């Protein structure tokens, strides 16, 4: 069975650290529900070496942190995974991010190194109001994929979760619904339709 690296910037000085930690906690729960082994990495150990360096022992990296077009960073704003890090360890792996904008350049860079599966956002990832709809939406693809669904189904379920959460928020918190629509439209979900978690190496 595969093994997942769960990386999260939950440093108390980090904006939205509680939200990022909740996403990582959900990733751990999904792993536990599917009897999938995982390794957590948090500050002050959140570094390129402790994420990319250990990818040979993992099939997929889940990363909740702050990002930009070039990559994802730790609490000291040092690049952990970026177009400037040495990323060959991502060959035949997956990267699932809850981070701003990293689908713009990081995605294509990793794909050129034969990353098989990428989920991220090509614009800001926004959070407003009640956190749960944002967590549920952001994590739905991972939940489906680790449950054994092929990538195409995982993507469909993630979009459906976004739509359901948006519909609910439309009546209770329309401003939050607008932010969730923004996240859905920025979502990049890439990989072979038939890919299964068990295909990752």
């Amino acid at each position: 069975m595969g093994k997942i690296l769960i990386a999260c910037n939950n440093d108390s000085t980090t904006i939205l650290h509680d939200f990022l930690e909740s996403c990582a906690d959900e990733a751990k729960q999904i792993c536990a529900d599917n009897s999938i082994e995982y390794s957590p990495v948090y500050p002050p150990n959140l570094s390129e070496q402790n994420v990319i360096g250990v990818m040979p022992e993992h099939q997929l990296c889940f990363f909740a942190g702050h990002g930009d077009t070039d990559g994802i960073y730790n609490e000291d704003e040092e690049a952990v995974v970026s177009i400037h890090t040495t990323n060959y360890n991502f060959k035949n792996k997956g990267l699932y991010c809850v981070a701003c904008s990293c689908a713009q350049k990081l995605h294509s860079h990793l794909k050129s190194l034969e990353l098989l599966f990428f989920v991220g956002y090509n614009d800001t990832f926004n959070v407003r109001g009640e956190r749960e709809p944002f967590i549920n939406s952001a994590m739905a693809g991972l939940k489906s994929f680790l449950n054994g669904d092929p990538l195409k189904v995982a993507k469909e379920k993630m979009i459906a979760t976004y739509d359901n959460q948006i519909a609910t928020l439309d009546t209770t918190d329309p401003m939050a619904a607008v932010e969730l629509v923004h996240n859905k439209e920025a979502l990049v979900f890439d990989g072979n339709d038939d890919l299964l978690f068990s295909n990752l190496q």
Side-chain angles (χ1 to χ4, degrees), residues 6-25 28 40-46 62-66 72-76 80 98:
I6 298 176
C8 173
N9 180 4
N10 66 346
D11 186 86
S12 60
T13 62
T14 299
I15 295 166
L16 287 175
H17 65 90
D18 53 337
F19 173 80
L20 298 171
E21 186 169 33
S22 293
C23 289
D25 286 346
K28 290 180 190 173
V41 187
Y42 293 99
N45 302 314
L46 191 59
F62 170 82
F63 203 144
H66 288 287
I72 313 173
Y73 303 85
N74 66 12
E75 74 281 9
D76 296 321
V80 179
V98 181

Side-chain angles (χ1 to χ4, degrees), residues 38-94:
Y38 66 84
S39 314
V41 187
Y42 293 99
N45 302 314
L46 191 59
S47 66
E48 177 184 348
Q49 182 53 44
N50 289 336
V51 175
I52 299 172
V54 300
M55 278 312 293
E57 297 109 63
H58 299 82
Q59 282 64 52
L60 188 149
C61 175
F62 170 82
F63 203 144
H66 288 287
D68 61 18
T69 58
D70 291 351
I72 313 173
Y73 303 85
N74 66 12
E75 74 281 9
D76 296 321
E77 297 186 14
E78 297 164 341
V80 179
V81 182
S82 84
I83 60 172
H84 305 296
T85 50
T86 304
N87 300 312
Y88 297 107
N89 287 350
F90 277 106
K91 181 177 180 179
N92 296 327
K93 310 284 184 187

Side-chain angles (χ1 to χ4, degrees), residues 57-179:
E57 297 109 63
H58 299 82
Q59 282 64 52
L60 188 149
C61 175
F62 170 82
F63 203 144
H66 288 287
D68 61 18
T69 58
D70 291 351
I72 313 173
Y73 303 85
N74 66 12
E75 74 281 9
D76 296 321
E77 297 186 14
E78 297 164 341
V80 179
V81 182
S82 84
I83 60 172
H84 305 296
T85 50
T86 304
N87 300 312
Y88 297 107
N89 287 350
F90 277 106
K91 181 177 180 179
N92 296 327
K93 310 284 184 187
L95 178 63
Y96 191 111
C97 330
V98 181
C100 292
S101 305
C102 59
Q104 287 192 31
K105 293 180 184 173
L106 181 63
H107 169 221
S108 56
H109 169 73
L110 293 175
K111 200 170 176 181
S112 73
L113 299 173
E114 299 180 57
L115 182 84
L116 291 182
F117 166 48
F118 178 91
V119 174
Y121 297 83
N122 62 20
D123 201 344
T124 54
F125 181 92
N126 298 343
V127 180
R128 180 188 177 112
E130 177 62 41
R131 301 290 164 85
E132 202 165 305
F134 291 85
I135 296 167
N136 290 344
S137 300
M139 301 304 294
L142 186 71
K143 187 173 187 177
S144 172
F145 190 57
L146 296 188
N147 278 344
D149 290 332
L151 211 58
K152 183 183 181 195
V153 174
K155 180 179 181 179
E156 289 167 353
K157 286 186 177 177
M158 189 168 187
I159 299 289
T161 302
Y162 262 109
D163 289 340
N164 291 336
Q165 300 289 335
I166 290 163
T168 302
L169 282 178
D170 264 339
T171 57
T172 59
D173 189 348
M175 297 301 285
V178 169
E179 302 294 6

